[in-house]
Each structure stands twice: as C-alpha cells, then as structure tokens.
C-alpha cells in the first residue's frame, strides 16, 4: 500500500517478479476507497481487506480491485476505529476496534463473516489490551492480540483444530 504525496491512499498489486499489476484506489463511482489505511490482509477467497482508521471502516475489495463491501462497526458500540486486521482459515475477518474518547472506550475485536456481516464481538473491553492494534492467528488457531501503550500480548484459543 502506498500513500501519495497528496494524501490519497491506494493499494498497488505486484506480480512475484515485481511488475506492477494494478492500483486500487477508486470505487465504481470514482470516489476514493481509502482515507488512511492502517493494516491490510488477504482473505482465503483473494479479497483484500483493509482497516481504514480515519474513515472508521473496514474496506474489502476483490483481487481485481472491485469494491465488495465496507463495515463501519456494530450498533452495540458507540464508535468504531479499526486497526489490526486478519483473517482465519474459514474466511472470517477479525478486526481490532481501537475507538476511544476522553469519556468512553470501545476497545474490542469484531468478527465478520467472509461477506462482511457482523458475527460477534470476540474480545470485549474487559478482556482486551488497552488500545488494541495488532492481531494474528497462528497455525494452531490461537488468536494473538497486542495493545498499543502496553507491553502485553494476550493469546486466546480461537478455533479447534480437527485431525483427519
């Protein structure tokens, strides 16, 4: 992902050899897709999932750059400022909500399905590190989350691995 000098954000896809494939910057109406991309990941279906902190939404486009959907938080929380984002083996999208004001915090981790529909809040403010900003899922399906301004990484069992 690149930020141009005029402060417009875009994603640039490259071939393995380093040749540029395409820039992803505009929707079908010519509107900018991004304001301030923080994190990016690729889903199992090839979708590109980004957290856009200033726009307060997750933006998902196809591998060819077509807009699929955006997610702006759940009504149970008064604010949404997405930061860390990752996907799991089922195509779910997990995203840190780093929303805070001087009198309210909504630190949490949201779980979306592959089509951007809200499934649940995985980690609530009581369980979440302060200012959650980084997350990943390891090969044992453990969910790791780290917070900005703290020296703690929390690990949760996320999915059960089944043996064949």
């Amino acid at each position: 992902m690149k930020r141009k000098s005029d402060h417009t954000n875009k994603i640039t896809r490259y071939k393995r050899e380093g040749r540029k494939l395409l820039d992803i910057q505009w929707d079908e109406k010519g509107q900018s897709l991004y304001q301030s991309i923080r994190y990016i990941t690729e889903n199992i279906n090839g979708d590109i999932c980004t957290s856009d902190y200033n726009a307060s939404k997750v933006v998902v486009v196809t591998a060819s750059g077509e807009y699929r959907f955006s997610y702006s938080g759940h009504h149970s929380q008064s604010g949404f400022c997405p930061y860390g984002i990752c996907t799991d083996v089922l195509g779910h999208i997990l995203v840190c909500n780093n929303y805070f004001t001087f009198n309210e915090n909504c630190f949490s981790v949201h779980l979306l399905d592959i089509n951007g529909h809200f499934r649940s809040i995985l980690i609530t403010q009581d369980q979440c590190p302060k200012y959650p900003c980084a997350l990943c899922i390891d090969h044992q399906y453990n969910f790791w989350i780290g917070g900005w301004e703290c020296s703690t990484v929390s690990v949760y069992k996320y999915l059960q691995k089944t043996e064949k």
Side-chain angles (χ1 to χ4, degrees):
M1 71 191 161
K2 291 184 178 180
R3 180 175 287 188
K4 293 171 42 174
S5 60
D6 62 1
H7 301 292
T8 57
N9 283 236
K10 69 178 179 177
I11 295 171
T12 302
R13 288 191 67 106
Y14 294 91
K15 285 189 169 252
R16 289 191 190 272
E17 306 84 40
R19 193 178 56 124
K20 183 170 149 178
L21 285 174
L22 77 146
D23 287 328
I24 303 168
Q25 185 174 5
W26 313 106
D27 67 13
E28 65 280 351
K29 297 177 183 175
Q31 301 294 315
S32 179
L33 286 168
Y34 312 105
Q35 286 185 28
S36 182
I37 298 170
R38 292 295 188 231
Y39 287 87
I40 184 170
T41 190
E42 187 173 6
N43 211 341
I44 59 171
N45 61 356
D47 285 349
I48 302 164
C49 309
T50 57
S51 60
D52 190 327
Y53 189 81
N54 288 351
S56 300
K57 63 184 175 180
V58 169
V59 178
V60 178
V61 298
T62 65
S64 60
E66 296 172 30
Y67 174 80
R68 278 204 63 218
F69 63 84
S70 58
Y71 170 77
S72 298
H74 191 257
H75 63 80
S76 67
Q77 294 185 316
S78 60
F80 185 66
C81 291
Y83 231 77
I85 189 168
C86 70
T87 60
D88 66 21
V89 296
L90 303 173
H92 296 127
I93 302 165
L94 293 82
V95 61
C96 293
N97 182 9
N98 197 345
Y99 178 79
F100 64 95
T101 63
F102 290 108
N103 60 359
E104 182 180 15
N105 299 325
C106 293
F107 303 137
S108 57
V109 176
H110 295 215
L111 175 68
L112 313 177
D113 69 16
I114 199 165
N115 294 310
H117 299 112
F118 176 81
R119 302 288 301 224
S120 69
I121 292 180
L122 282 182
I123 306 294
T124 63
Q125 181 175 330
D126 296 335
Q127 305 160 314
C128 208
K130 191 173 183 182
Y131 305 107
C133 64
L135 57 96
C136 70
I137 298 172
D138 66 19
H139 295 293
Q140 299 297 316
Y141 305 125
N142 294 311
F143 169 59
W144 298 64
I145 181 169
W148 174 49
E149 277 195 18
C150 70
S151 57
T152 304
V153 174
S154 300
V155 182
Y156 299 93
K157 190 67 182 165
Y158 175 60
L159 296 173
Q160 294 296 321
K161 191 172 186 175
T162 57
E163 302 299 324
K164 292 183 179 182

